[in-house]
C-alpha cells in the first residue's frame, strides 16, 4: 500500500444518520451516507480536499454545468471482506476513465492522490455504511461539474470534484426484458459514447421511458448509421453467448463505455479458457442464433447492475425469449467468481482489491 501525503480536512457530522439505514431493505440511490468529499479547482489548481457532512450545494443560476452539461461521473463499489473490513473494487480504473472523460469534456484532470486517497478517507469515515450482506455494497459516486458563474459558451475556469456514497442493493432483482432501439441513437464515432458524461444518460431517458411503458426494463441501443449493430444498454454493457462463444461489442469505435465490470468479466472468462470475441455484432446475427437454438445466455454488466441476465429481447415485432435464466451456467459461474473476489474469499490474483 502506498503511503499517502494527501492532506484532507475532515469535519465530522454531529449526529450520524446511520439509524436510517436498514441493511435488509436497501434501495438503489435513495439514502446517502453521513459524509462527502469536496475539492474545488480554481486558478489552475486543485484546492484543499475536504471531507464534510453530506449537504446541499448552493450555485448561481448562471453556473456553467447547468446550461452546457460540462458534467462527468463514475460509479464504483465498496464491499466488506470476510473480516468485516471495507475494500473498494478497481477504483484505479475509474480514476483513469474519469480523466479520459475530463479530457473529452475539456475539464481538468483529477490527480490520482485526490481521487484515490480522498476516497479512501471518505470510506474509512463512513465504513459503518458499507453493507455486509452478500448482494449489497456501498455505491461510490465521484463526479465533477463546471462551477464558473458564466453563460458564455467556453470551458469553465472553475470546477468542483465531489464524491458521495450510498448503500446499494441489486439494481435489478429479476432478469431483464430489453427492447432493441432502432430509432434513437446514443453514440457515434467522434461523439462521447466512450465517456461517462452526464448528457449520455440524460438523452437516453426518453427512449427508455417509452419502452418502460410497454413493459420493458431497458433499451439496447444500436449504431447511428445502419441501426444494425448493437452497442450497449445505456447503463450496462451487453454480452451474448452463442454456441460456445461469448460475444460483446468491441470498444474500438469510441461509441461504447469501456466498462470495468465488462473488462473483469472478459478477463475471468478468458482465464477460464472460454472463447470471447469483442467485435461488431449485428442484431440479425443474434436473431439467427436464436432461431437456430444457439443463443444460450445473454446479460448486461455494469457497476450498478453488476451482472444482470436478459430473459427477453424484442427487435421490431420479433420477440426472443431466453429460457430458464436461473439454470445458465456461465452467468452463475461469473456471479460467484466476482462475488468471491469482491468479498475477498478468493485470492486477489489480479490486483483488483483496494484496501481501505
Ligand atoms: C454505474 O453502473 O455505475 C452507472 O453509472 C450506471 C447508472 C447507475 C448511471
Amino acid at each position: 500500500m502506498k503511503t499517502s501525503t494527501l492532506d484532507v480536512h475532515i469535519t465530522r457530522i454531529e449526529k450520524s444518520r446511520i439509524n436510517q439505514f436498514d441493511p435488509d431493505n436497501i434501495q438503489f440511490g435513495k439514502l446517502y451516507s453521513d459524509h462527502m468529499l469536496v475539492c474545488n479547482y480554481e486558478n489552475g489548481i486543485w484546492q484543499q480536499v475536504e471531507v464534510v457532512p453530506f449537504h446541499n450545494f448552493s450555485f448561481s443560476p448562471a453556473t456553467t454545468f447547468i446550461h452546457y452539461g460540462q458534467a462527468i461521473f463514475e460509479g464504483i463499489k465498496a464491499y466488506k471482506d470476510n473480516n468485516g473490513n471495507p475494500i473498494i473494487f478497481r477504483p484505479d480504473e475509474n480514476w483513469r476513465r474519469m480523466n479520459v472523460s475530463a479530457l473529452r469534456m475539456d475539464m481538468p484532470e483529477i490527480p490520482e492522490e485526490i481521487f484515490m486517497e480522498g476516497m479512501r478517507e471518505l470510506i474509512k469515515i463512513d465504513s459503518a455504511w458499507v453493507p455486509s450482506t452478500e448482494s449489497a455494497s456501498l455505491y461510490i459516486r465521484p463526479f465533477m461539474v463546471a462551477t464558473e458563474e458564466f453563460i458564455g459558451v467556453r470551458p469553465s475556469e472553475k470546477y468542483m470534484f465531489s464524491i458521495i456514497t450510498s448503500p446499494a442493493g441489486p439494481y435489478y432483482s429479476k432478469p431483464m426484458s430489453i427492447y432493441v432501439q432502432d430509432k434513437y441513437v446514443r453514440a457515434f464515432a467522434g461523439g462521447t459514447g466512450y465517456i461517462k458524461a452526464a448528457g449520455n444518460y440524460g438523452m437516453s431517458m426518453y427512449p427508455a421511458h417509452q419502452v418502460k411503458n410497454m413493459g420493458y426494463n431497458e433499451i439496447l441501443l444500436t449504431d447511428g448509421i445502419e441501426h444494425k449493430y448493437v452497442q450497449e444498454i445505456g447503463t450496462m454493457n451487453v454480452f451474448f453467448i452463442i454456441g460456445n462463444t461469448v460475444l460483446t461489442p468491441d470498444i474500438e469505435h469510441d461509441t461504447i463505455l469501456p466498462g470495468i465490470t465488462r473488462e473483469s468479466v472478459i478477463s475471468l472468462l478468458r482465464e477460464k479458457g472460454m472463447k470471447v470475441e469483442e467485435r461488431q455484432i449485428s442484431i440479425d446475427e443474434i436473431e439467427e442464433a436464436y432461431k437456430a437454438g444457439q443463443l444460450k445466455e445473454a446479460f448486461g454488466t455494469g457497476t450498478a447492475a453488476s451482472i444482470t441476465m436478459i430473459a427477453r429481447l424484442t427487435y421490431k415485432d420479433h420477440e426472443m425469449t431466453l429460457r430458464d435464466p436461473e439454470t445458465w451456467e456461465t452467468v452463475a459461474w461469473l456471479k460467484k467468481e466476482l462475488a468471491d473476489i469482491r468479498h475477498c474469499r478468493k485470492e486477489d490474483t489480479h490486483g483488483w482489491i483496494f484496501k481501505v
Side-chain angles (χ1 to χ4, degrees), residues 9-33:
H9 277 192
I10 297 173
T11 310
R12 286 182 187 267
I13 199 165
E14 277 177 19
K15 190 174 179 323
S16 171
R17 290 178 286 100
I18 192 92
N19 59 357
Q20 295 173 13
F21 169 37
D22 172 4
D24 297 321
N25 180 23
I26 310 177
Q27 290 175 19
F28 185 86
K30 293 274 189 196
L31 179 68
Y32 295 91
S33 323

Side-chain angles (χ1 to χ4, degrees), residues 28 73 75 139 141 171 196 201 235 302-305:
F28 185 86
F73 70 96
Y139 185 78
R141 170 55 62 87
Y171 200 73
K196 269 186 108 63
Y201 296 80
T235 55
T303 300

Side-chain angles (χ1 to χ4, degrees), residues 285-298:
E285 179 178 353
I286 295 166
E287 265 207 290
E288 277 161 29
Y290 175 75
K291 284 185 191 144
Q294 286 300 305
L295 181 58
K296 307 282 185 209
E297 304 183 27

